[in-house]
Amino acid sequence: MSDMTDEEIVRAVRGMAAMQAEREKLAERVSALRTAVSPEDLAQRDRCGEAMAKMDTKILLESVEVLDRMGMTLASQACYAVAREEGLATP
């Protein structure tokens, strides 16, 4: 079972939710620039896309840690397996 306090769990969940909200904003911006043609818009789309990919990685790796600390071992292991397949975690 989890050795985290309720306060720690809430803090971890809020942190994950904040990261997800940031990722969604980036995804919306990338979608809005899907048909971009100007060099400035294309560059901004690329920057937002890269930031979104970094956020995806951060969310995945943070999920491994947070789920494990919460005692959700199977879910943590599933996230770890995905991270390993993506080359983001070592075996």
Side-chain angles (χ1 to χ4, degrees):
M1 200 48 143
S2 172
D3 60 347
M4 293 177 73
T5 66
D6 289 348
E7 183 178 305
E8 291 170 324
I9 291 170
V10 169
R11 194 174 321 124
V13 170
R14 284 184 179 157
M16 296 296 292
M19 285 189 286
Q20 184 62 34
E22 183 178 339
R23 192 245 180 242
E24 290 301 318
K25 286 180 186 176
L26 291 166
E28 287 173 13
R29 189 66 184 138
V30 168
S31 290
L33 293 167
R34 186 98 30 223
T35 58
V37 292
S38 76
E40 297 84 14
D41 286 348
L42 289 170
Q44 184 176 11
R45 182 187 67 192
D46 290 346
R47 282 191 304 273
C48 288
E50 288 175 19
M52 190 174 73
K54 287 179 183 178
M55 187 56 66
D56 285 341
T57 298
K58 185 176 180 179
I59 289 169
L60 179 60
L61 296 176
E62 185 76 14
S63 294
V64 172
E65 180 184 332
V66 168
L67 290 168
D68 187 54
R69 285 189 355 221
M70 290 174 67
M72 300 179 73
T73 307
L74 188 57
S76 176
Q77 290 173 347
C79 290
Y80 179 75
V82 171
R84 199 173 59 238
E85 287 177 16
E86 296 287 326
L88 304 172
T90 57

